[in-house]
Amino acid sequence: MKHCLVTGGSRGIGLEFTRQLLKKDFQVYAASRNPWDSSALQQLKASYDDRLIIIRLDVGNEESRRDCFHALSARIEKLDLLINSAGILSGNEEFCHPLGELKQDDICRTFLINSVGPLMMVEGALPLLRKGAQPVVANISSDNGSISRKSHGGKYDYSASKAALNMITRILAVDLSAHGIIVVSLHPGWVKTTMTRNENAPLEPSESISGMIQVLESLDMNGTGRFLDWTGREIPW
């Protein structure tokens, strides 16, 4: 049985990853800040009690990350898939301030959760990933993080934090290639989630995540360090 850790696993993209991977017979560890507040996650737990383990995790908190990996290591000896899905639109988690109203604390928190957190999650998971079967790290990015595609203003903190995550993916791909660990950035598309509740997102989470899972299943070491969308198409950096 394959083992997967999903951050941000109680809602949106992370929740749908949890749901679909459970259907594929993965042992899933769904981690989030407030997992017990998610009725959808609790319903999954009721249906897959033996294969869904819920973990409380704040990816931006060092002690919380340490507790998460302590709990994981007590249960498993390997990790096959790490999905860094936890992310925020801005430090206030509601909206991005425009130029002239930028808030330094918001920007720093966005980078902590969207960029630093995933990097530290990989570092913490490394002993388990090294023992995994064709292990993969999937960093959930965004085409907002594509520098060459950036043609509209605003979203300074979100866009820059995703561009930073893409660079982290590239560096990790180099550093972890000797261990046979594949690392990719994935753009899920414009998906209907709580993050996009005020936008007209066309993609349902089920469609996006099923596509990304197909992409992950098709990867080999030739694909490490790439930036792909949910259909497998390459996105320019």
Side-chain angles (χ1 to χ4, degrees):
M1 182 182 294
K2 289 192 172 184
H3 297 265
C4 175
L5 171 61
V6 182
T7 71
S10 65
R11 64 178 185 174
I13 287 170
L15 176 65
E16 187 61 27
F17 262 119
T18 297
R19 179 181 291 111
Q20 293 197 25
L21 289 170
L22 285 168
K23 290 180 179 179
K24 285 181 167 288
D25 295 328
F26 274 73
Q27 177 83 42
V28 180
Y29 302 85
S32 76
R33 284 178 297 170
N34 301 297
W36 313 114
D37 292 342
S38 170
S39 59
L41 186 60
Q42 299 311 312
Q43 289 171 9
L44 284 177
K45 178 64 175 173
S47 300
Y48 298 95
D49 182 58
D50 58 330
R51 288 193 291 107
L52 175 58
I53 307 300
I54 297 174
I55 300 174
R56 189 177 183 279
L57 169 68
D58 180 347
V59 298
N61 182 280
E62 189 172 7
E63 182 178 0
S64 182
R65 292 193 304 267
R66 185 167 55 246
D67 289 345
C68 170
F69 288 115
H70 179 77
L72 271 182
S73 297
R75 286 181 170 272
I76 58 176
E77 296 182 352
K78 65 160 190 166
L79 189 64
D80 305 294
L81 177 59
L82 169 60
I83 299 176
N84 280 314
S85 179
I88 55 176
L89 179 64
S90 68
N92 60 53
E93 301 190 35
E94 290 293 331
F95 58 90
C96 294
H97 290 283
L99 187 64
E101 300 176 18
L102 298 176
K103 309 293 182 184
Q104 178 174 296
D105 287 348
D106 278 2
I107 294 171
C108 290
R109 183 163 184 263
T110 306
F111 272 84
L112 175 61
I113 302 302
N114 291 357
S115 312
V116 179
L119 173 60
M120 303 311 293
M121 288 299 297
V122 175
E123 184 175 69
L126 193 52
L128 294 172
L129 286 166
R130 284 173 175 162
K131 299 175 183 177
Q134 296 181 310
V136 176
V137 173
N139 291 325
I140 304 304
S141 185
S142 168
D143 65 351
N144 277 280
S146 169
I147 294 174
S148 59
R149 277 193 180 183
K150 189 66 174 176
S151 59
H152 58 275
K155 290 190 176 180
Y156 285 90
D157 42 355
Y158 182 74
S159 298
S161 70
K162 292 300 186 179
L165 180 62
N166 289 342
M167 177 58 80
I168 287 167
T169 293
R170 290 286 287 184
I171 299 171
L172 283 171
V174 174
D175 283 344
L176 300 184
S177 62
H179 302 288
I181 300 172
I182 299 167
V183 189
V184 291
S185 282
L186 293 179
H187 167 48
W190 194 9
V191 184
K192 295 176 182 176
T193 66
T194 55
M195 187 181 290
T196 60
R197 61 186 178 275
N198 295 322
E199 303 171 353
N200 295 316
L203 267 179
E204 293 292 340
S206 58
E207 181 181 359
S208 169
I209 277 60
S210 65
M212 286 192 286
I213 289 175
Q214 289 182 41
V215 171
L216 293 173
E217 290 175 336
S218 70
L219 289 172
D220 56 26
M221 287 305 298
N222 292 322
T224 194
R226 297 172 68 191
F227 184 15
L228 306 170
D229 74 5
W230 76 100
T231 69
R233 290 177 297 190
E234 195 119 23
I235 295 180
W237 300 106

